[in-house]
Structure formats: C-alpha cells, structure tokens
Amino acid sequence: MKDKPDSSAPTKDLLQGTLDLLILKTLALEPMHGWGVAQRIQQLSNDVLQVGQGSLYPALHRLEYRGWIQSEWASSENNRRAKFYSLTAAGREQLLEERAQWDRMAAAIGLVLGEAAS
Amino acid sequence: MSLRERLSRIRFFFRRPGVSELNEELQFHVEHAIEANLAAGMTHGEARRHALVEFGGVEQAREETYRQRPGWFLETLLQDARYAVRGFRRNPAFTVTVIVTLALGIGASTAVFSVVDRILFRALPYAHNDRLVSVGLVAPIIPEEFMLGGSYYQWRDNQKPFEAFTSETGANDCDLTEHNPAHLSCASVEQNFLPTLGIVPLLGRNFMPEEDRPRGPKAALISYGLWLSHFGLDPGIVNRLIHIDGVQVRVIGVLPKDFEMPALEPADILVPEALDEAAERREAPDTVMYAFARLKPGVTMEQAQAELDPVFNYSLNQAPPQFRKEVHLRVRSIRDRQMHEVRLAAWVLLGAVLAVLLIACANVTSLLMARAAQGERELALRSVLGASRWRLVRQRLTEVLLLSMAGVAAGLALAEILLRVFVAIAPAGIPLLDRARLDLRIVLFTVIASLVCGACIGILPALQGPRAVALAARTTNSGAHAFTRRCMVVGQIAVSMVLLTGAALLMRSFSSIERQNMGMETRGVLAAHIALPTYRYTTAQQQMDFFLSAEAALRRLPGVSAVGMSNWLPPAETHETQPFNNIAVSGKQRSMNGTGGMVSWRLVTPDYFKVLNIPILRGQGFTEAERVSNDQNMVVSSFLAARLFGEADPIGQHVQPVPNGPWYTVVGVAANVKNGGLSGADKPEFYRLRRNLVDDWTPWNIMVLKTSLAPAAVAPWVRAQIAQIDPTLPIEVETLSESVSKLADRPRFEMALLGFFAISGLLMAVIGLYGVISFMTTQRTKEIGVRMALGADRIDILRWIAREGFRLILLGGAIGLCAALALTQFMRSLLFHIGPRDPATFLGVALLLGLVALAATLIPARRAMRVDPAVALRAE
C-alpha cells in the first residue's frame, strides 16, 4: 500500500529537498550511476545516511526532468551498461543556491539551539 | 518554476524514456547490491534476499519514479476518461438517461431564464434605473396611468418628491418620405425626456428647449436600428435633413443601441411633443400624456405618492364630480408599468422550470447513487489492490465530470433550440421576447453549477471510502442511499403533480377560451386594415372618398358577397369606449353615480353586421339608405339595451351618448359580441353608422369582406384592388380567424410551455421511480429467491415489490396534491372560466399520475415475479 497518511507530507518534502541537495553535490564531483550515488552518500556520511532506492530513483528522475542533471548510458567500471548521471549548468546553479539555502537554514537552527542551550 | 525548468519538462513530456530503460536501471542497482553483499561474505541466496529487502520493493520504486514524469497527471486523466467511457458503454441506459435528464433540466431552465430574465430581473437600460417611476392618474377610460395636459404642467411645477419630471405623448405611425420610404413609428417626448431617464445619445445631442415648442425648429433623434438599416451607420447623419410625413426634419442625433421607451412603444424616431403649454394649461386638457419621473435620492415610492396628494387633488377637482370616486393616483416602477401583464406568467414559467430542474437534479443524483452503490464492491476491490483514496476519488470525479459536460453540451444545444421555438411560437404581446438571447452569464452559471453539483454528487461515495462490508457482504448493502433515493422519488412525484396540475388547468382554461361563443362568424371573413397617411390624405373628405371607392372596388370582386367597414374589430379589446353614465336616455335623468363602467362603441357601415353574421334581434339595423341621410341612428347590443331600457322596447328610443352631443335614435338591437378580448369581461356596446358625411370618417378603417372562396385566394385580389386606387398605401390583409387566433396566442403559449415542462417533469419522475424500484428488485433478487423457496408464490412477490412502489406514489401524490392546492391559487388570473381548484382537473391529474407511476412500478415488479429461485440462490 502506498497510501501514505497526509500528515507526513511536510517531513517528506524536507527530506526530499535535502536528498536533492545531496544528489547534486555528489554528482558535482563526477558523473555517476544511481548505485554509485547511493554508495557515495553512504560513505561520505559515515554510513549515517542510507538512501533507499525507493526514493533515490524518483529523485534522480525528477532532477533530470527539471533539467538539473542529465543522463547517458555508458559502461560501468565492471563493463556493464549503466545509466550515468551528470550535473548540467542549470544543476550547478541550483546546487549553489540549495547549498546557500541549507547553510542559512543550518545557521539559523544552530542559532536557535545555541540560544536554547544557554 | 523557471523558464528553463519548464522547457526541460516540456521536452521530457514528449520524449518518453521507455519502461525497459527504467527496469534496466533498477536491475543494475539490485545486481550491484547483490555483489556488494557477496563481497561482504553472504551466500548467494542471502545476498539476493538482503538486496531486495534493502531495496524496499522494486515495483513501488518503479511506480514512484514513473510518477515523477511530467504529464503523468494528464496520462492518468486520459486513462480515467477511457475507463469511464468504457463504463458508460457497458451501461448505455444509465448514460443516456443521465445525459438526457441533465440536458432537459439545463436546456429548459437556461432557455426560460433567458426569456424571463429581462422581464423579471435585468436592469432597464436607463442610468437612473432604480429611481425612475411612472406617475399618473388611473381611471376606467385608459388602462394605464396617464396625465392630461393641464394637470401635467400643474404637477410638474408643484411636485416635491421628484428631481426630474418628464412626459411623452405616445408613439404614432409616421412615414419616412424619401427616396427610400419606410413606414415607421414616431414617439413624441418632452425636451427633458432623455436626461430624466439618464439616456445620452450615441451621436449628436438632445433636443433644445426651443425645438419643443409649437412651430419651433423641426428636430428628430433616430434609433440605432433605423440608423443601421437606412443610413448605413453613417456618422454624417447628424444635422442631415430627412422627410418625415412630407416635412423636413433635422436629425440631431442617434439613440443608443439598447434604447427603449419606458412604456415599450415601438420608436424608430423621437420627436419633441411641441405642445403649446399655455394653451394646454388654459383649455380643457385633452392631450393624453404619460409621465415619468426620477425620485429624489432616498425618497421611496410610497413617500412620493403621499407627497403628491396636493397636486393629485388639483387634478381630481378638474374631473367631473360623478367620476371622482374612480380616479386614483398611481406611482410605480417602470418595470411594473412595462411588465404588469406578463409578470405572473413569467413567474409561473420560472417556477415550472425550476421544478423541472429540481426533478432533473433528483433524478441524476439518484442515478449516480445507484451506480455508486453498484460500484462499491469494485471500489473496495481496487482499494485492496493498492489504489489510493485520491486515485479512486479522481476516477469517480472524472466519470461524473464527463457526464456533466456531455449533459451541459446537450443542454445548451437544447436551450438554443427551445429559445428559438419560444420566439417562434410566442405571441406578439410578450415584451422584448424577440430580443431574448442565450445569456452568456446564464450559460456560465449553468455550466459551473452543474459541474460543481456533479462533482459533489459524484465524489461523496468515493470520499466515504469503500466500506469493508462491501467486500464481505454478498448483497450490496446500501440502506442509507436507498432511503435518500426514496425520499427523492417522493419529492419528484410531488413536484410533477404540481406541474401537471398547473398545466392541466391552463389546458382546460385554453379549451374553454377556444370553445366559447364569439357571437359572430370568423370563418370566410377577410379583414383589410388600412391607415391612410394623413400628410397625403389631409382632409376627412379625401379619406371618405378613398374608403368609399375602395368599398365599391371590393364589392366588384368575384366571390365577395358583402363588404363592411368599421374602425375596430371584435373580439379585441382595442376600440373606442366611453363611460356608461355619460349616456342619457330621453325622458330619464342621467345617472350621476360614478362612470357605471365602460361602454364600447364602433363606427360601422350597414354591411358590417352581414359580414360578421351578427344577428339583429329587434328592429332592422342600419340600411344603405340611412348612409346618405342626415339621421343620427344607433344600434345597441342586447346587453346595453337591457341596461338602458330594462324591459321597455328599445326601438325608437332617443339616446345621447355624450353630454351636449347629438341625440341618436335606436333603430335596432344586435346580439352580443365578445368585445373584451378572448378572456376579458364583455362590455355593453353600441354602433354608430358611418354615413357618407365627412364628420363620420377617420384615416383609420378596417374593411371586412365575406367571401365564399378561400380567403387566401381572395387576399391578393383585395391588395390589387386597393393598389389600383393608391399603389403606395400600406395595407394588412388577414382572415378574421387569424386575428382571433392571434388573440389566443398568449394562453396557447403559456399552456404549451407549462405542458412541455409538466410532461418532461412527469417523465423524469417516472424514470426516477422506475429506477428505484428496479434497483431495489435487483438488490433483493436473493431475498426473492429465498422467499420463493420458502413457499411464497409469484403474486406474493409482485404484491411485496409493488407495495413499496405504491407507498412512494401515495406519499408523493398526497404531498403534491396539497402543494398544488396551495400553489394554483397564484394562477387564478391566468385562468378563464375555471377555478384554480377545479376538482375535475385535480382528479384527472391524480389519476394520470397514479396510472403512469403504477406502470413504472409494475414493470420491475413483474420482473421480480419471474425470478427463478434456483438461479437467484446460486447467483452469488
């Protein structure tokens, strides 16, 4: 059943936005296939962030439809055909913007938490 | 969303990555996961299992990814639409019924609303619309409120409640006598008429005060219609000289497109009244005027009426003392002045069409509910298989909206057709009907209303969500719906009972109009209406000469046995009238007690009675010899004879119709002829002879011919004969039956419309009843089977099902009967020779409704009776 309760929508949106940022950041380094993206995020986050495929591929496709990333089929490291994603110029801009947004948000949250602590 | 983003989405909308690509991508991912797991030291099977668990449902990921595609929404919409259409095709009876019901409801109400909107609701085309009133005296002599010259100026100068006061003296025939001549209607208005109403000419200017004086410069404003038809919208028309009735007149402006006279007289040209104010004030006022005024802000019509008392008393004192009791003051809105006659009919029509709409809505709701109940199981199944609530609601919504749109489209087409039919069959008397158009606002309203209603009806069951019981229970259980539907059927029957009663009353009333005795022969009689243009026939001598030679010419026609003349023809109520108590009988005191009601009179030639076959009961009537004598003779109707002379012999009595006028000798008593219109009360009547003396002639005359040939064949000969005397004279020839039938147009129109609505209402109510009963029967097939298995015979089953139907019919019928008894009261003035509670009509309608409804119940009940218990029990 994919009938999700409506109350989860805001959380989901937040996560989705974050996932987009992570994907864009990961792809900014080099073109990668979906598996690679998931692995890279997991590695970089010291296994904290495990990206479920159920949300990875919808996110990849969504970003592609928006024109932030593009894809092409190429052979992978072990000579298998794989779909490689890479950042477009628009995606690069988007990454900067989302990065800035995230920083602002993180700073703001940090401020609030810092104040609450003192 | 940025432009670039949008473009990208559009690109992907058209370039669709295949499903296989996505599958391959996902497959690649899973394989990598397995490899990773193998590397971590798992067995092959374990690695695979782990990978898939981690993945969390390939199918779901695929679905979710797919949903990201631009156009996914549209795609599913199309899918829903296709699904819905498939459903409709499987169940054409349902689909057609819903669409036809919607179309009928929407079509009829849109068309009727377009017609009555102007009569009942829409603002009049005047800037000061809400403060304009019609003011005047009401007396038996003239049906609408009026003013007389002297009084008018007194009122205008001394009134307090109005900020502007103006008058018009009505519209008259006039001729545009130019290279392109036309027969037109000219209305005479006071100089301040347009500013008072708040009308600004489209071109040019309003009249100047000096143009509204006798012998002032001749000026005219022309209507937009005339400007278009005659002058090709030439802006150079202003200041051009045109010839009206042979006189040079300067066009000073063009009226706005939507201009209309407050009393709706036809007006192609406006000219100043040019009354001699001093003379009108001084002399016995005899110019009839119609006054209109603009209330000061904040003054109500009641206050205005009270404040007018002083000037009203002035006018009252001018009236002959014996008539004063019958003279009243009237202040009312212009709309009331225009529409007083058709208002009731318009409300009845609107009520009827709303009733039809109500029945249609109930029907559609009921049908959709039945469908929802049937579809509940499927809904539940799909829900279990993983369809989200939103998806199911959308599916339902698509279905309903498709139906609504089809219904609206069909309805609008029907509305356009109906409107054309209305205009075609409507009598001339309904104001502005010819201008009725399908109103865009109404269309929009209908479309939105039906879509919203459809959506509400449609998604309610889906929103509730399919109940688990729908899957479990073997027979669909829909108790709540069934109750609502039954209530609606009761309502439908009640409403159609009211409609049918109204229609039946109008029908009976119409047939008594048709069947009544006119007192004259209408078959084989031709009437030629001739109005001589006074600018060419300036003297009464010329007018008399024309008519006498026309009479001689028509008498020579083959097949014409008699030719008579009169200034007016019965049974129309337009003719000369005068107060009864003005008539003096020699040797008796003139009554001073009020007017005594009105008396009709006509100027006729001797053959008038012969042509119309009006029997002369006593005496001999007029003779040809009297036409050339100087004797003043009179024929009275038997009604008038009885009132004037009682039992005494009228023949030879001397009568003076007007004080100080000539005395007449009564030479005959004619049988009564209807003279108050088809449904109005008859008035007493007398006839004066049109002698061959100039005093007896007017430019307006109707020549009547009795012919043994087909009237249609004689009509062209009549035209030809008249044309020989004066080739440019406009002449209207019609049979008397035609003109009588025209008088019946109004009741016929009302009857036809209400009848149409009643029949459609009944039809829909019956469909509703049939639907409920047959649905119930289907639902209970199993129960029927059980009952039969337990020993009930077929008649028991029939009785059981039919009882359900009877209950609904009886309840609905009873409610409807009460409502009809209460509502038909309002139709009283539309009915002729029949009471609004005519028992025969009510009985007949109840019987008809009962029978039809019974049939609608028995058909499904019979089907239930034939159920084979073995099949029924096995079915589930």
Side-chain angles (χ1 to χ4, degrees):
Chain A
M1 294 280 286
K2 54 190 161 83
D3 194 358
K4 300 178 186 79
D6 281 356
S7 59
S8 75
T11 334
K12 201 176 126 196
D13 283 350
L14 183 67
L15 287 178
Q16 207 170 59
T18 321
L19 180 59
D20 286 359
L21 173 60
L22 295 181
I23 292 173
L24 289 175
K25 175 69 189 164
T26 316
L27 289 178
L29 309 174
E30 55 175 328
M32 241 176 263
H33 44 66
W35 167 256
V37 173
Q39 289 309 103
R40 182 64 60 87
I41 292 176
Q42 201 169 341
Q43 273 168 21
L44 289 179
S45 66
N46 290 335
D47 285 355
V48 174
L49 297 176
Q50 294 207 3
V51 186
Q53 294 81 341
S55 42
L56 174 66
Y57 285 96
L60 278 172
H61 282 246
R62 186 171 58 244
L63 293 177
E64 186 181 3
Y65 295 140
R66 290 191 171 172
W68 295 338
I69 60 178
Q70 60 198 20
S71 66
E72 62 181 332
W73 289 89
S75 34
S76 70
E77 50 276 25
N78 45 10
N79 272 337
R80 296 265 314 275
R81 220 168 89 88
K83 199 176 178 189
F84 279 78
Y85 293 94
S86 61
L87 219 55
T88 62
R92 232 165 270 284
E93 280 168 34
Q94 183 66 19
L95 173 60
L96 287 179
E97 195 177 309
E98 285 200 13
R99 177 72 201 256
Q101 234 171 40
W102 173 259
D103 286 347
R104 265 201 307 281
M105 178 67 83
I109 291 175
L111 277 177
V112 173
L113 294 181
E115 260 180 29
S118 64
Chain B
M1 205 184 282
S2 75
L3 177 69
R4 202 153 47 173
E5 215 178 307
R6 217 178 278 270
L7 281 175
S8 167
R9 287 181 73 91
I10 292 171
R11 193 157 50 84
F12 276 104
F13 178 72
F14 291 107
R15 199 186 67 88
R16 331 198 127 189
V19 177
S20 60
E21 247 179 53
L22 181 60
N23 282 343
E24 193 176 347
E25 197 179 359
L26 294 178
Q27 186 64 32
F28 176 79
H29 190 107
V30 173
E31 277 166 19
H32 259 283
I34 294 171
E35 273 165 31
N37 288 344
L38 283 175
M42 293 187 196
T43 63
H44 192 79
E46 212 173 341
R48 184 173 176 78
R49 202 174 58 79
H50 260 274
L52 286 177
V53 167
E54 247 170 64
F55 199 96
V58 180
E59 195 49 47
Q60 200 179 333
R62 178 164 34 221
E63 186 90 355
E64 188 61 37
T65 310
Y66 197 67
R67 196 183 285 203
Q68 299 300 327
R69 294 205 40 228
W72 174 81
F73 185 82
L74 201 70
E75 231 164 75
T76 47
L77 197 69
L78 280 176
Q79 206 179 349
D80 283 353
R82 270 199 301 274
Y83 180 82
V85 170
R86 261 208 311 277
F88 297 154
R89 245 193 248 149
R90 261 204 313 273
N91 199 345
F94 162 81
T95 315
V96 170
T97 315
V98 169
I99 292 179
V100 167
T101 309
L102 272 176
L104 211 57
I106 293 172
S109 49
T110 308
V112 166
F113 198 78
S114 298
V115 172
V116 300
D117 175 45
R118 176 61 189 80
I119 297 176
L120 297 177
F121 308 115
R122 193 177 306 172
L124 304 175
Y126 309 123
H128 309 297
N129 181 30
D130 46 336
R131 278 155 50 209
L132 292 178
V133 291
S134 163
V135 188
L137 305 168
V138 202
I141 320 169
I142 299 177
E144 309 295 344
E145 59 269 26
F146 65 97
M147 297 290 302
L148 293 173
S151 285
Y152 172 74
Y153 296 107
Q154 192 70 25
W155 287 39
R156 191 187 65 182
D157 298 343
N158 297 308
Q159 58 81 17
K160 296 206 175 60
F162 306 120
E163 59 181 24
F165 202 67
T166 191
S167 67
E168 48 127 335
T169 52
N172 288 305
D173 290 350
C174 57
D175 290 282
L176 189 63
T177 44
E178 296 200 317
H179 53 92
N180 189 6
H183 196 60
L184 302 173
S185 176
C186 290
S188 310
V189 302
E190 201 175 333
Q191 182 264 331
N192 66 351
F193 181 76
L194 294 182
T196 302
L197 297 183
I199 297 167
V200 180
L202 194 67
L203 275 188
R205 59 170 173 86
N206 183 25
F207 299 115
M208 298 286 198
E210 62 268 22
E211 286 162 345
D212 192 17
R213 289 189 194 123
R215 290 171 301 282
K218 295 277 182 197
L221 280 155
I222 62 170
S223 72
Y224 187 90
L226 184 64
W227 187 38
L228 174 69
S229 62
H230 251 74
F231 304 104
L233 299 185
D234 174 15
I237 184 68
V238 179
N239 276 329
R240 192 186 298 174
L241 293 172
I242 59 173
H243 287 82
I244 300 175
D245 285 347
V247 179
Q248 259 199 350
V249 177
R250 185 173 300 280
V251 176
I252 59 163
V254 177
L255 292 165
K257 204 170 183 174
D258 59 358
F259 172 79
E260 64 197 28
M261 292 291 284
L264 294 180
E265 307 104 318
D268 302 302
I269 294 180
L270 280 195
V271 294
E273 290 171 347
L275 290 174
D276 185 347
E277 193 177 321
E280 290 287 337
R281 280 174 190 276
R282 203 168 43 238
E283 286 164 22
D286 59 0
T287 305
V288 175
M289 310 166 91
Y290 302 99
F292 299 94
R294 188 166 75 231
L295 291 164
K296 285 178 182 155
V299 177
T300 65
M301 278 188 254
E302 291 75 26
Q303 286 166 349
Q305 182 130 14
E307 283 181 52
L308 282 174
D309 255 350
V311 283
F312 172 60
N313 283 329
Y314 168 84
S315 300
L316 210 51
N317 285 330
Q318 302 239 306
Q322 73 269 28
F323 296 160
R324 281 181 199 162
K325 258 196 306 190
E326 290 167 58
V327 178
H328 305 284
L329 170 67
R330 190 190 267 164
V331 179
R332 58 174 173 173
S333 71
I334 291 187
R335 189 194 298 280
D336 282 349
R337 167 86 158 79
Q338 291 179 345
M339 307 299 179
H340 60 115
E341 275 193 328
V342 291
R343 230 182 160 146
L344 178 64
W347 277 116
V348 168
L349 210 57
L350 191 62
V353 86
L354 288 183
V356 171
L357 193 63
L358 217 62
I359 296 179
C361 281
N363 236 10
V364 173
T365 314
S366 177
L367 281 165
L368 286 175
M369 277 183 168
R371 190 170 166 80
Q374 279 169 338
E376 195 174 7
R377 238 176 126 173
E378 185 198 325
L379 226 59
L381 196 65
R382 291 184 57 184
S383 174
V384 168
L385 289 180
S388 71
R389 171 92 38 101
W390 163 233
R391 195 73 179 69
L392 291 181
V393 168
R394 255 190 51 193
Q395 163 68 51
R396 258 295 128 82
L397 204 61
T398 317
E399 205 168 275
V400 172
L401 288 188
L402 272 182
L403 277 179
S404 302
M405 282 191 292
V408 165
L412 290 184
L414 182 68
E416 183 65 43
I417 295 170
L418 278 179
L419 195 58
R420 283 188 193 184
V421 172
F422 289 173
V423 174
I425 67 170
I430 294 190
L432 308 169
L433 184 62
D434 51 333
R435 277 194 237 165
R437 295 281 174 278
L438 268 200
D439 193 307
L440 211 64
R441 297 168 313 158
I442 300 168
V443 170
L444 211 66
F445 170 80
T446 321
V447 171
I448 291 174
S450 44
L451 289 187
V452 169
C453 288
C456 289
I457 298 168
I459 62 174
L460 266 179
L463 270 186
Q464 286 166 357
R467 295 164 300 177
V469 73
L471 275 179
R474 298 217 140 185
T475 43
T476 317
N477 111 349
S478 49
H481 285 169
F483 178 71
T484 323
R485 290 190 65 197
R486 264 171 234 189
C487 287
M488 283 192 295
V489 165
V490 169
Q492 285 179 318
I493 292 176
V495 174
S496 49
M497 175 84 197
V498 175
L499 274 179
L500 275 176
T501 316
L505 281 173
L506 281 184
M507 219 177 288
R508 302 242 315 162
S509 150
F510 181 71
S511 86
S512 46
I513 287 177
E514 292 273 88
R515 274 201 321 254
Q516 70 183 323
N517 183 13
M518 298 278 172
M520 62 173 189
E521 181 64 65
T522 57
R523 272 165 307 171
V525 177
L526 265 183
H529 301 251
I530 298 173
L532 296 176
T534 43
Y535 66 92
R536 282 201 286 133
Y537 294 83
T538 44
T539 64
Q541 179 71 45
Q542 284 173 315
Q543 294 160 12
M544 181 180 87
D545 289 347
F546 171 85
F547 284 119
L548 289 182
S549 49
E551 184 186 29
L554 294 186
R555 281 196 168 140
R556 283 196 298 270
L557 282 177
V560 171
S561 54
V563 176
M565 284 190 263
S566 170
N567 49 352
W568 299 103
L569 283 186
E573 52 182 335
T574 44
H575 48 68
E576 311 288 338
T577 56
Q578 67 156 75
F580 174 79
N581 284 344
N582 269 356
I583 303 176
V585 176
S586 69
K588 272 203 221 167
Q589 194 69 29
R590 199 178 246 124
S591 165
M592 297 302 271
N593 186 18
T595 55
M598 301 306 281
V599 175
S600 315
W601 62 273
R602 293 174 214 280
L603 272 168
V604 300
T605 57
D607 271 358
Y608 173 80
F609 298 99
K610 200 164 153 193
V611 174
L612 295 188
N613 201 13
I614 301 170
I616 301 293
L617 304 175
R618 303 174 82 160
Q620 54 170 355
F622 300 127
T623 59
E624 285 293 317
E626 286 168 46
R627 290 181 81 174
V628 289
S629 76
N630 277 328
D631 298 344
Q632 299 274 23
N633 291 337
M634 176 187 275
V635 169
V636 295
S637 72
S638 64
F639 188 5
L640 183 63
R643 280 197 66 181
L644 283 177
F645 314 110
E647 296 296 309
D649 185 5
I651 305 300
Q653 298 260 20
H654 293 281
V655 169
Q656 185 191 33
V658 188
N660 306 322
W663 284 87
Y664 292 82
T665 313
V666 176
V667 294
V669 176
N672 288 329
V673 176
K674 274 208 85 64
N675 59 8
L678 285 179
S679 50
D682 288 343
K683 293 194 259 294
E685 176 159 5
F686 66 83
Y687 302 89
R688 279 170 50 199
L689 178 61
R690 242 182 185 163
R691 295 164 302 169
N692 295 356
L693 295 174
V694 288
D695 292 348
D696 284 355
W697 291 89
T698 56
W700 167 252
N701 210 349
I702 303 169
M703 315 196 62
V704 282
L705 296 79
K706 177 142 201 85
T707 164
S708 48
L709 303 176
V714 181
W717 300 344
V718 173
R719 286 177 196 283
Q721 288 296 330
I722 301 292
Q724 269 190 7
I725 307 171
D726 184 341
T728 63
L729 192 66
I731 161 176
E732 256 174 70
V733 184
E734 62 179 359
T735 65
L736 194 55
S737 332
E738 275 167 5
S739 37
V740 170
S741 158
K742 260 187 212 163
L743 289 176
D745 276 356
R746 258 286 274 297
R748 187 183 301 125
F749 181 61
E750 288 158 5
M751 178 193 72
L753 286 192
L754 208 54
F756 171 69
F757 294 144
I759 297 293
S760 14
L762 177 67
L763 208 67
M764 286 194 275
V766 164
I767 290 174
L769 180 68
Y770 174 84
V772 165
I773 300 292
S774 58
F775 183 69
M776 190 186 82
T777 316
T778 326
Q779 298 287 296
R780 296 195 184 162
T781 310
K782 198 183 160 202
E783 195 180 337
I784 295 169
V786 172
R787 278 176 186 242
M788 285 181 131
L790 289 180
D793 62 16
R794 285 164 193 266
I795 295 299
D796 289 336
I797 299 297
L798 182 70
R799 211 177 288 145
W800 177 55
I801 295 286
R803 195 183 305 136
E804 191 76 23
F806 292 165
R807 230 182 283 154
L808 300 181
I809 299 168
L810 278 182
L811 191 58
I815 296 174
L817 206 64
C818 296
L821 279 172
L823 286 172
T824 48
Q825 286 300 313
F826 295 107
M827 294 175 60
R828 190 184 287 276
S829 70
L830 293 180
L831 300 179
F832 177 72
H833 278 188
I834 192 171
R837 286 180 175 167
D838 179 55
T841 310
F842 274 78
L843 201 69
V845 166
L847 217 61
L848 172 72
L849 189 74
L851 282 179
V852 176
L854 217 58
T857 312
L858 286 180
I859 296 170
R862 268 171 62 89
R863 208 180 315 135
M865 194 175 81
R866 302 234 171 96
V867 164
D868 182 345
V871 174
L873 288 176
R874 226 182 298 128
E876 300 277 335

